[in-house]
Amino acid sequence: METNCNKAREKFEFQEIFSKKVIKLKSFYIHAFIYAFVLIVYVLKEYYEIPLNYFPLKYLNSVVMIIWTTVFLFSAIDLFASYKIFDEKWEERKLKSILYKKTKTQKWE
């Protein structure tokens, strides 16, 4: 009985971690799509001198694009480098050790 409960708990914890990863990946792809769209608009505005002087676009300049590009690159490195360094086997071992410590410290009567 207790092993089934532990397995169900581990499965729930794994699903929770992987759902967080999927959400993080999805938000990164949305960010990448918006970044690519704004980058195209920026190139059209700056290099082809298309007059885009509407409210949000008139404040789009080189400083904004440099800061945004830096943030975008750091988020990409954070997301994809963490997948390479901390792979699934590492996560499973870490999660099992955390769950073991949690069940060891909890004393149910």
Side-chain angles (χ1 to χ4, degrees):
M1 172 85 179
E2 191 170 316
T3 57
N4 284 339
C5 183
N6 285 340
K7 287 182 182 180
R9 178 187 231 164
E10 285 180 13
K11 185 177 180 181
F12 176 75
E13 294 286 334
F14 283 131
Q15 287 175 344
E16 192 174 299
I17 286 174
F18 290 124
S19 68
K20 286 180 184 178
K21 274 188 172 183
V22 168
I23 291 170
K24 195 174 180 182
L25 195 58
K26 181 182 175 185
S27 68
F28 175 77
Y29 285 143
I30 290 170
H31 184 196
F33 178 75
I34 294 170
Y35 174 75
F37 177 75
V38 173
L39 185 63
I40 290 169
V41 170
Y42 172 74
V43 168
L44 291 175
K45 181 182 172 193
E46 292 295 319
Y47 294 106
Y48 293 109
E49 297 177 356
I50 295 176
L52 299 171
N53 294 325
Y54 305 107
F55 166 64
L57 299 178
K58 71 180 178 181
Y59 297 110
L60 187 62
N61 57 24
S62 298
V63 174
V64 171
M65 289 308 297
I66 288 171
I67 292 170
W68 195 355
T69 302
T70 305
V71 169
F72 180 74
L73 290 176
F74 277 118
S75 67
I77 290 169
D78 176 46
L79 182 68
F80 295 113
S82 67
Y83 284 153
K84 297 288 184 188
I85 295 171
F86 304 112
D87 61 347
E88 290 180 20
K89 290 179 184 177
W90 179 86
E91 286 181 3
E92 286 181 27
R93 286 194 314 267
K94 191 66 177 173
L95 185 61
K96 285 181 181 180
S97 72
I98 290 170
L99 288 174
Y100 176 73
K101 288 177 186 176
K102 196 182 275 188
T103 57
K104 189 176 178 183
T105 57
Q106 287 180 348
K107 296 186 179 182
W108 299 95
E109 305 271 341

